[in-house]
Amino acid sequence: MKSETVHYPLFKRQDIDAFFALFQNNLANFVIIAATMLTIGFPADIVFTKVIPGAAIAVIAGNIYYSYQAKRLAVKENRSDVTALAYGISTPVMFVFLFGVLAPAYTLTGGNAELAFRIGLAACFISGLIEVLISFSGNWLTKHLPRPAMLGALAGVALTFIAGEMLFEVFALPVVGLVALFIILLGILGKVALPFNIPSSLFAIIVGTILAFSLGEITLQDVSTALDQVGFYPFIPSLEVFHGFQALFTGFVGLLAVILPITLYNAVETMNNTAAMAAEGDRYDVRECQAVDGSGTILGTFFGGVFPTTVYIASIGSKWMGAGRGYSLLNGIVFFCCCGFRFNWRTIYHYPDCSRCTNLSFCRCEYGSDRIPYEREEVLPCCRNCPSSLRCQLHYDAFSRRRSTCY
């Protein structure tokens, strides 16, 4: 008897919320990259015509591939509830490359931004190559490492570094941030239908932006200045990465002491996030994912990208939202348009962080806290109330930090 093939749609409504969560995650990283590199001393020409487009190429390629991978898994297991892996630049790795590779390279070259940029390209290429090589042991490590060890470490990163930091931004302008956070909680956690059935992530952005305008955090002059930069900027590949190898392996070989361990962390992060998705029912091949991450990183260097990529923790949040593969594909398309027309990066400088960070904080808080009861039989049987306790503690810490800065 011939079995029926389950229809796995290219896009569904749940992909909209997941898209905004993933897009804001990538967006936050891209804004930090641009702002920090300009502060270090890199000229805008390098940042906006090389680094940002190069990073976008890596993100676009990964999003397209992981969308295809989800389709393949859905066909193989005859399921329609498969969620594609979220993909982008790892936040911890991004900071290490900014302050552990690019900033020292800029200083040691005497402010030679072009040479420092090429050194960053070489460092990123090596990081991607190492992750491709590590991928051959990915499945073996996943099989022999206990799941609590992997998911526990991931929960720690989600709760402290990402959820906590994003909540600090929410409380930086609570009139905007708390309203946006309430909308996220109402729509995603409370399952309340919002006006015109607008996804909660999009509605939070709209309301947050309107509030920011009304409070003077964003002005029409800011938007006008950003729109002056709109134009078509094609993605042009180059071989500058190979010019950076000579400098890296002569006077800057010490940077390898930073590159090697952070690359290992990046590979482990992909392995942990893939294991987390397996715990939710979507079993992807770890070796394939690590190879794709490394290959995407290498591809980005030929277009100016200097930051390694990885599978995101946001994959779990997308799974809980009921997303499929469309959110990943849409994220790639939107990033292609934003970077090709160089509109988004200058405009987003004026978008309030407190509104943008609410979705990130919620998803990381939910993921980090829920990992504990998921493994409670293997770790701590008494952790039944940890999720609510941790969420309350994070909000208290964020409020306390905000209050302490006022005195």
Side-chain angles (χ1 to χ4, degrees):
M1 182 176 179
K2 187 177 180 180
S3 61
E4 293 185 4
T5 302
V6 173
H7 174 63
Y8 184 58
L10 181 64
F11 192 85
K12 54 185 178 178
R13 189 183 183 281
Q14 292 86 343
D15 285 320
I16 300 176
D17 259 332
F19 158 72
F20 278 103
L22 177 59
F23 179 71
Q24 289 179 83
N25 201 333
N26 280 293
L27 193 60
N29 288 341
F30 275 61
V31 172
I32 292 171
I33 287 170
T36 305
M37 289 190 68
L38 291 174
T39 302
I40 291 172
F42 287 91
D45 183 60
I46 289 179
V47 175
F48 290 110
T49 64
K50 295 181 179 180
V51 175
I52 294 299
I57 284 292
V59 171
I60 293 166
N63 285 152
I64 293 174
Y65 186 87
Y66 283 124
S67 177
Y68 156 76
Q69 185 190 51
K71 168 66 174 177
R72 194 179 62 196
L73 181 64
V75 171
K76 177 183 177 182
E77 299 185 354
N78 205 27
R79 293 166 46 210
S80 61
D81 62 342
V82 174
T83 299
L85 293 171
Y87 173 82
I89 296 172
S90 168
T91 303
V93 175
M94 174 190 69
F95 281 112
V96 171
F97 262 72
L98 280 170
F99 299 109
V101 176
L102 293 174
Y106 182 83
T107 301
L108 295 174
T109 56
N112 188 334
E114 189 65 34
L115 180 57
F117 165 67
R118 290 179 175 178
I119 292 172
L121 287 176
C124 189
F125 185 97
I126 292 173
S127 178
L129 182 61
I130 292 174
E131 185 159 7
V132 171
L133 296 176
I134 291 175
S135 68
F136 292 102
S137 62
N139 287 331
W140 185 88
L141 290 173
T142 302
K143 183 183 296 185
H144 290 84
L145 284 177
R147 181 176 290 174
M150 293 188 289
L151 299 186
L154 204 57
V157 173
L159 283 168
T160 57
F161 190 81
I162 303 180
E165 284 297 320
M166 295 301 105
L167 273 176
F168 296 151
E169 297 293 342
V170 169
F171 279 90
L173 188 62
V175 176
V176 177
L178 288 179
V179 172
L181 180 59
F182 177 75
I183 293 172
I184 294 292
L185 294 174
L186 197 65
I188 298 180
L189 194 62
K191 306 296 182 182
V192 175
L194 298 174
F196 306 106
N197 286 323
I198 299 177
S200 56
S201 299
L202 176 59
F203 194 65
I205 293 175
I206 295 172
V207 173
T209 303
I210 293 174
L211 285 174
F213 262 111
S214 63
L215 294 172
E217 292 294 319
I218 306 175
T219 65
L220 292 176
Q221 180 60 39
D222 294 333
V223 178
S224 177
T225 302
L227 291 176
D228 290 338
Q229 303 295 326
V230 174
F232 181 67
Y233 300 88
F235 299 94
I236 303 175
S238 72
L239 300 178
E240 286 187 278
V241 59
F242 296 111
H243 296 290
F245 281 112
Q246 183 178 1
L248 180 63
F249 287 107
T250 53
F252 301 92
V253 69
L255 292 177
L256 292 176
V258 177
I259 298 168
L260 294 177
I262 198 60
T263 300
L264 290 175
Y265 165 83
N266 206 35
V268 170
E269 183 177 1
T270 295
M271 182 174 64
N272 288 349
N273 287 322
T274 307
M277 284 295 281
E280 297 294 331
D282 293 344
R283 298 185 179 277
Y284 291 104
D285 184 64
V286 176
R287 178 174 58 186
E288 179 185 3
C289 294
Q290 289 177 329
V292 170
D293 292 352
S295 300
T297 298
I298 293 172
L299 175 64
T301 61
F302 289 103
F303 290 85
V306 292
F307 297 95
T309 53
T310 188
V311 171
Y312 269 168
I313 300 177
S315 305
I316 301 300
S318 301
K319 181 67 177 177
W320 293 341
M321 293 176 190
R325 54 175 170 155
Y327 84 100
S328 179
L329 194 59
L330 182 60
N331 186 71
I333 294 172
V334 171
F335 263 85
F336 177 85
C337 296
C338 288
C339 292
F341 290 93
R342 205 169 71 177
F343 169 75
N344 199 45
W345 317 116
R346 293 182 183 271
T347 305
I348 203 65
Y349 277 131
H350 312 294
Y351 178 65
D353 288 340
C354 54
S355 180
R356 171 167 46 84
C357 293
T358 53
N359 208 338
L360 306 183
S361 178
F362 168 76
C363 290
R364 280 12 172 229
C365 185
E366 285 295 305
Y367 172 74
S369 59
D370 285 349
R371 285 306 92 196
I372 295 176
Y374 185 87
E375 299 292 347
R376 60 176 175 265
E377 293 182 0
E378 301 176 58
V379 187
L380 289 174
C382 59
C383 288
R384 185 177 302 276
N385 295 318
C386 277
S388 56
S389 301
L390 287 170
R391 280 190 284 271
C392 292
Q393 182 64 43
L394 279 173
H395 282 79
Y396 174 79
D397 291 342
F399 175 74
S400 299
R401 173 172 166 174
R402 170 60 182 164
R403 185 175 60 179
S404 67
T405 61
C406 298
Y407 297 97

